[in-house]
Amino acid sequence: MKVLHLVRHAKAEISSNNSKDFYRALATNGMIDAARMARNLGDKGAKPDAIIASPAERTTRTAEIFADQLKFDSEKVQYFDDLYDGSLQEYLKIINGIDSASNEAILVGHNPNISYIAEYLTGEDIGDVPTSGIVT
């Protein structure tokens, strides 16, 4: 069975008028939460053979934290521009493009698309996936 973990990036710093959204860094509590959630996923036996993420600062750092906690080579994390500001269809295209040899993948993205895609794929009313939240 193929497994996909959808991860909303960890809590980011509040945007200021002088900075662009793309470059928002993780807040300290966001880094802690991401590490905790990744460890929990690992404790449940997760062994991803693919991690894909948006190239925005907060998703990149979240993906790196997950890779570190799950003993995944962070240099193998794949980044897709369409995960930053793409549509639901673009998220689906990226998911469908995951290498068929991959049995377990993690996608780190942004809301509202993480919540939308989670509901679409599960058929469940999930609502708003919180920061560092995981839907498998």
Side-chain angles (χ1 to χ4, degrees):
M1 176 188 295
K2 305 281 185 178
V3 177
L4 175 64
H5 306 284
L6 300 170
V7 177
R8 182 176 174 194
H9 66 76
K11 181 79 173 162
E13 293 177 345
I14 295 175
S15 166
S16 71
N17 292 338
N18 298 335
S19 66
K20 294 189 181 214
D21 179 71
F22 187 86
Y23 298 104
R24 286 175 47 217
L26 291 184
T28 302
N29 61 333
M31 289 185 264
I32 293 166
D33 289 345
R36 181 177 47 83
M37 293 299 287
R39 277 193 308 275
N40 288 343
L41 195 59
D43 289 346
K44 293 180 181 191
K47 293 184 181 178
D49 43 32
I51 297 179
I52 57 179
S54 157
E57 177 65 28
R58 59 197 180 276
T59 45
T60 297
R61 187 67 186 118
T62 302
E64 290 169 349
I65 291 168
F66 270 74
D68 180 61
Q69 294 295 317
L70 295 169
K71 310 297 186 239
F72 182 88
D73 183 353
S74 63
E75 292 191 16
K76 293 184 178 180
V77 176
Q78 300 172 42
Y79 298 96
F80 293 91
D81 291 338
D82 286 340
L83 291 176
Y84 175 65
D85 60 0
S87 66
L88 185 61
Q89 291 77 16
E90 289 165 319
Y91 266 63
L92 284 172
K93 182 179 176 183
I94 290 166
I95 290 167
N96 287 325
I98 295 171
D99 188 333
S100 62
S102 178
N103 289 312
E104 186 170 3
I106 295 174
L107 183 150
V108 182
H110 305 268
N111 252 7
N113 282 344
I114 287 293
S115 294
Y116 293 161
I117 202 76
E119 288 186 343
Y120 177 79
L121 293 175
T122 65
E124 299 291 326
D125 183 16
I126 292 170
D128 189 38
V129 174
T131 54
S132 296
I134 303 169
V135 177
T136 301

